[in-house]
Amino acid sequence: MKTRILGKDLKVSAIGLGCMGMSHAYGPAADKKEMTRLLAQAVDLGYTFFDTAEVYGTPEHPHDNEELLGEALRPFRSRIVIASKCGIRFDETSKEVNKPLIPDGRPESIRQAIDGSLMRLQTDHLDLYYIHRIDRNVPIEETAGAMKELMEAGKITHWGICEADEEILRRAHKVCPVTAVQNRYSMMYRDYEALFPVLSELQIGFVAFSPLANGFLSARYDQTSHFEKGTDYRSVMPQFSREGMEKNKKLMEELSRMAREKEATPAQISLAWMLAKEPWIVPIPGTRKEDRLMENAGASELVLTKEEVCALDQMLDTTPMSEVFGGSRIAKQASGRN
């Protein structure tokens, strides 16, 4: 697989592997033996960039994903990049399927979180460590300062911010250079394209999560698809509703037409479109399936011309589409904080 550089010097595979769905948000956690085999296969396919977080798990096993990756990727640690995240917890008092997030960007919380993640991931350092959401009660300069301390201690080598805007990025970058921002980005969610000039100026990479609109753009779903209520976020996502699927028919027809022309799949067109935008964009689609793992990896070899990218952009600007899941809401009150 081809590689890309995030920030100034973090070399990663052009397509990363978002591992959240193996343990969280897409139904009950997957079988660990199966996921261990899948992760080893990902390394064989050329994936070197693996994304997790301390909160990717279940109420019974809240750190399931980091524990899975720690054991499964230990044999390959010297040749892969592991990214994890700190700074949020779920509001477990909520009855919502997609529980609200309670941010915590305090330096003391970050220092405590890194030690837990290192233990679970069975490593002495993380290659990339994100603050998972911005805590508006803590100046970002304090969060950035804590990350700088972790770098000086050798516990992390690079840091990043999820769901960051220009103001936050500039302020954080002055304290400790940011390597990557991880924001939602797909053909159905393009809001952060406005941030691209700033990222180019500051030499910050863009790691795109949900690059296939939570799998919708793979064209593998229809109105008969079933999503388990209570554990699968897709059961409440607008793009997967009956109304959403009906509204998105034209979009999927156009995407499928381009895929046929390029002898590719709709998912590969979606990822290749993103890769063609900027050399520092790295999508991290997730999967539990071997065929999807291979399909997504193949997107790194698919080259779209400038004309093809422009045509896709024009199609996206003019084609009706449903709303798309915009992420977990932030709890208004950070309950339990001192």
Side-chain angles (χ1 to χ4, degrees):
M1 193 189 298
K2 294 178 181 177
T3 59
R4 295 195 156 198
I5 301 293
L6 296 174
K8 294 184 177 179
D9 61 2
L10 185 59
K11 186 177 181 180
V12 298
S13 50
I15 306 287
L17 183 58
C19 300
M20 179 188 76
M22 296 176 181
S23 308
H24 177 79
Y26 287 80
D31 181 80
K32 283 198 172 182
K33 289 184 178 179
E34 291 181 10
M35 293 304 97
T36 297
R37 286 193 293 269
L38 190 72
L39 287 162
Q41 185 173 16
V43 176
D44 288 341
L45 287 169
Y47 287 88
T48 64
F49 188 31
F50 296 85
D51 183 89
T52 184
E54 66 173 348
V55 295
Y56 293 163
T58 64
E60 299 76 23
H61 302 285
H63 306 301
D64 185 83
N65 204 240
E66 284 190 333
E67 292 169 357
L68 165 66
L69 266 63
E71 190 64 30
L73 295 176
R74 184 173 55 175
F76 316 107
R77 183 64 184 100
S78 63
R79 51 193 174 110
I80 62 171
V81 168
I82 297 179
S84 193
K85 313 177 193 75
C86 66
I88 61 169
R89 61 184 174 88
F90 293 106
D91 181 1
E92 295 295 346
T93 65
S94 171
K95 296 187 182 301
E96 297 177 44
V97 174
N98 178 19
K99 296 185 185 303
L101 305 177
I102 299 174
D104 186 353
R106 294 174 297 170
E108 59 266 34
S109 297
I110 294 171
R111 287 191 289 266
Q112 181 179 2
I114 185 63
D115 290 335
S117 288
L118 292 177
M119 177 186 67
R120 290 185 291 270
L121 288 163
Q122 301 187 37
T123 184
D124 63 356
H125 75 281
L126 288 182
D127 306 287
L128 181 56
Y129 198 40
Y130 297 99
I131 189 72
H132 208 155
R133 288 294 184 275
I134 296 158
D135 185 347
R136 300 293 176 180
N137 295 320
V138 176
I140 193 62
E141 290 83 359
E142 292 185 17
T143 301
M147 293 293 190
K148 185 176 182 180
E149 289 177 12
L150 296 186
M151 292 174 72
E152 291 170 347
K155 294 184 177 182
I156 67 175
T157 59
H158 304 79
W159 84 288
I161 310 176
C162 297
E163 299 284 358
D165 57 25
E166 178 177 352
E167 181 208 358
I168 289 292
L169 271 180
R170 289 190 182 280
R171 288 168 53 194
H173 197 70
K174 285 182 180 179
V175 177
C176 183
V178 177
T179 290
V181 57
Q182 184 179 134
N183 289 1
R184 183 180 304 275
Y185 184 45
S186 72
M187 284 184 162
M188 297 183 73
Y189 195 96
R190 301 166 63 195
D191 299 28
Y192 286 113
E193 288 183 351
L195 196 61
F196 288 0
V198 179
L199 299 177
S200 182
E201 173 196 338
L202 299 180
Q203 203 172 340
I204 297 173
F206 188 101
V207 176
F209 74 89
S210 298
L212 298 175
N214 303 98
F216 183 82
L217 294 171
S218 67
R220 300 283 187 98
Y221 302 95
D222 59 29
Q223 294 187 0
T224 66
S225 299
H226 172 74
F227 306 109
E228 186 163 330
K229 292 183 178 180
T231 58
D232 195 324
Y233 286 13
R234 290 171 296 184
S235 64
V236 294
M237 290 182 182
Q239 67 267 38
F240 290 101
S241 68
R242 288 185 175 273
E243 299 79 9
M245 289 193 177
E246 184 64 31
K247 195 167 186 178
N248 292 324
K249 271 188 175 179
K250 179 67 173 176
L251 169 65
M252 298 312 297
E253 287 172 0
E254 291 297 319
L255 193 54
S256 296
R257 180 186 59 78
M258 168 70 90
R260 289 192 296 272
E261 290 177 2
K262 298 292 287 188
E263 297 183 343
T265 67
Q268 289 174 333
I269 295 294
S270 297
L271 296 173
W273 165 82
M274 190 174 295
L275 291 172
K277 287 283 185 175
E278 299 287 352
W280 33 260
I281 293 178
V282 178
I284 51 169
T287 188
R288 297 181 176 188
K289 301 180 185 298
E290 178 183 335
D291 62 330
R292 293 295 309 283
L293 189 73
M294 297 176 67
E295 178 185 356
N296 293 341
S300 72
E301 303 300 323
L302 180 61
V303 178
L304 299 181
T305 66
K306 288 184 179 180
E307 292 74 21
E308 288 169 334
V309 173
C310 286
L312 284 169
D313 284 343
Q314 185 175 14
M315 181 271 289
L316 296 173
D317 288 338
T318 57
T319 301
M321 63 182 75
S322 74
E323 291 187 359
V324 66
F325 178 65
S328 303
R329 70 180 178 87
I330 303 295
K332 290 182 180 179
Q333 187 69 33
S335 57
R337 290 279 300 276
N338 294 325

